[in-house]
């Protein structure tokens, strides 16, 4: 999954204006009639739910819109250059880089079909009709079309999800995702089976919820261990985090602490609502240790402000209860988010001019 990419975009050149004179039988000195050139096409970035990553159309680095056509005689205006629409996944952010390598956000495409005009095409040149003056009634000049704007942009995909399952490798993230949604990620008894974020849609009573799983996080992921922590950018815009723990691990408490440390490295993630989930309780050895696990987790739950569930993603035990709670927390978080967004809306009260 390609989730960050720098490209060069360039608007089309404007078409040249035309030098032409009206020549018709019985009309002497018909005057200039050269039309204007068409404007160059614009480059637009459009969010589409049919696009899954930023591979775009291969390894192309420069995206150029169509050039405007030349103007013609009879005051004919040249055709406008074709716009170039670059389709990107929903959740793509468009940045530009300043000279000091600081990234400035230009647009955040959060909704299907939301678009952003990145660069404009050049203006078409003027035909010679515009150059007549009192002293020059037959100008033989027209202006050239302007070149389109050019710019380097960085596209970065940050998935927008409701629930994101994070955990150590092999804890059963893919199994849980497959149990709650139609997604069919690869499930296998070895670490790092999942190497890319996987999305699934979970049908709810009031709406569908997007559930995601990211590849396993190990201790030191922020230093590049395992598959690294680059996938955490996809967790930034989730409503709820599920900390999925392997109940058969010898030290479940250490696992949750490690996981929380790795998550906290990414700014803003430690404030997200969380649910701690201990998986694989169908295994007899986990059942035998369940009282110990519960006791060991007791002190960390208030720290994380998270409820805990003991489930089996394979047998489905307690999965429904987990989902009910998760959905309620997501709804609550989105209501709170709406309330803060409303309270932040700027209200302009312009005073009447005297
Ligand atoms: N007994 C039992 N086994 C489970 C359960 N959940 C997952 N497993 C098994 O644990 C192994 C790993 O499951 P995955 O779903 O691939 O785990 P993952 O967390 O996605 O692993 P990675 O993608 O490698 O990080 C598989 O063999 C699953 O069958 C469970 O509830 N009970
Ligand atoms: Mg997996």
């Amino acid at each position: 999954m390609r989730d960050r990419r720098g490209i060069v975009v360039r608007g089309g050149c404007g078409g040249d204006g035309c030098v032409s004179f009206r020549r018709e039988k019985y009309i002497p000195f018909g005057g200039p009639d050269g039309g204007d050139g068409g404007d160059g096409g614009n480059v637009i970035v459009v969010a589409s739910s049919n696009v899954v990553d930023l591979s775009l159309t291969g390894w192309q680095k420069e995206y150029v819109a169509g050039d405007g056509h030349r103007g013609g005689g009879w005051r004919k205006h040249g055709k406008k250059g074709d716009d170039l629409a670059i389709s990107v996944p929903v959740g793509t952010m468009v940045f530009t880089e300043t000279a000091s390598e600081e990234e400035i956000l230009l647009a955040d495409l959060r909704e299907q079909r939301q678009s952003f005009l990145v660069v404009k095409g050049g203006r078409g040149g003027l035909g010679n009709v515009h150059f007549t003056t009192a002293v020059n009634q037959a100008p033989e000049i027209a202006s050239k079309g302007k070149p389109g704007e050019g710019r380097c942009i960085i596209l970065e995909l940050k998935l927008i999800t409701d629930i994101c399952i994070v955990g150590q490798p092999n804890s059963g993230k893919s199994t849980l995702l497959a149990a709650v949604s139609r997604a069919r990620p690869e499930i296998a008894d070895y670490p790092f089976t999942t190497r890319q974020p996987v999305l699934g849609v979970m049908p709810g009573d009031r709406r569908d919820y997007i559930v995601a799983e990211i590849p396993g996080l190990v201790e030191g992921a922020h230093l590049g261990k395992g598959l690294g922590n680059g996938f955490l950018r996809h967790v930034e815009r989730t409503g709820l985090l599920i900390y999925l723990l392997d109940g058969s691990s010898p030290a479940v408490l250490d696992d949750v602490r490690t996981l929380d440390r790795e998550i906290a490295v990414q700014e803003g993630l430690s404030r997200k609502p969380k649910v701690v989930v201990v998986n694989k309780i169908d295994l007899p050895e986990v059942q035998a240790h369940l009282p110990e696990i519960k006791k060991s987790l007791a002190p960390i739950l208030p720290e994380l402000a998270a409820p805990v569930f003991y489930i089996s993603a394979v047998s489905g035990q307690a999965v429904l209860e987990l989902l009910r709670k998760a959905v309620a927390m997501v709804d609550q978080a989105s209501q709170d988010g709406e309330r803060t967004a409303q309270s932040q809306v700027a209200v302009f009260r312009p005073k009447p001019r005297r």
Side-chain angles (χ1 to χ4, degrees), residues 174 186 193-194 213:
S174 304
E186 201 182 331
T193 319
T194 307
E213 155 198 26

Side-chain angles (χ1 to χ4, degrees), residues 62 121 169 204:
E62 191 164 306

Side-chain angles (χ1 to χ4, degrees), residues 170 172-175 185-188 192-195 198 213-216:
N170 240 356
K173 300 180 294 298
S174 304
T175 314
E186 201 182 331
I187 295 169
F192 303 118
T193 319
T194 307
R195 304 184 75 87
V198 188
E213 155 198 26
I214 62 161

Side-chain angles (χ1 to χ4, degrees), residues 30 53 74 90 93 99 135 153 182 204 221 249 277 283 293 307 322 354:
D53 69 3
W74 293 89
V90 177
M93 299 167 101
V135 291
I153 56 166
R182 285 255 193 98
S249 153
V277 178
L283 295 174
I293 297 173
L322 163 67
R354 293 273 160 97

Side-chain angles (χ1 to χ4, degrees), residues 165-178 185-196 213-217 227 244 246 248 278-286 311-317 319:
I165 308 170
V166 293
Q168 266 90 4
N170 240 356
S171 54
K173 300 180 294 298
S174 304
T175 314
L176 180 60
L177 180 66
E186 201 182 331
I187 295 169
D189 197 10
Y190 56 82
F192 303 118
T193 319
T194 307
R195 304 184 75 87
Q196 301 291 344
E213 155 198 26
I214 62 161
L217 291 166
L227 293 179
L244 193 67
D246 185 345
S248 62
V278 178
N279 190 25
K280 307 194 184 180
I281 58 162
D282 56 302
L283 295 174
E285 69 262 29
V286 179
I311 68 158
S312 166
V314 164
S315 72
Q317 196 180 335
V319 170

